[in-house]
Amino acid sequence: GRPREALPWYASLGEGRYDVAYIAPSHLGQALAWQELADTAKAVQHYRRFLALWGDAEAPLRDVVIDAQARLAALQAGRRRPP
């Protein structure tokens, strides 16, 4: 509910030696926050990074990937949200 405050926290995930598992979720969180703040370019950038890492995820993470793909497609089509 407070995307501007969440951005630095998300950006810090994955920086540590043992945080590698958080890199993809960090990009997803940043994408959602930037989308909420109506910064399409930054949201698209982070959705692409997330999908590059988790694009071939298996269940149960597949639904998260499908949602991110739909959100990215909507942004690229000039819509704020997927239909």
Side-chain angles (χ1 to χ4, degrees):
R2 298 187 332 224
R4 196 159 302 282
E5 292 175 33
L7 282 167
W9 182 79
Y10 279 124
S12 73
L13 294 174
E15 290 180 351
R17 191 166 68 173
Y18 301 104
D19 292 348
V20 86
Y22 301 110
I23 294 173
S26 165
H27 284 297
L28 179 59
Q30 289 176 82
L32 292 166
W34 285 118
Q35 187 172 3
E36 182 73 23
L37 295 169
D39 190 325
T40 300
K42 288 182 181 174
V44 165
Q45 174 185 346
H46 286 285
Y47 278 126
R48 285 182 177 159
R49 288 180 180 170
F50 168 75
L51 291 168
L53 294 168
W54 272 16
D56 61 350
E58 296 178 5
L61 301 175
R62 192 71 196 143
D63 289 342
V64 175
V65 171
I66 290 168
D67 181 64
Q69 290 169 331
R71 288 173 176 274
L72 175 59
L75 289 174
Q76 291 174 325
R79 299 184 312 268
R80 276 200 72 185
R81 303 267 187 246

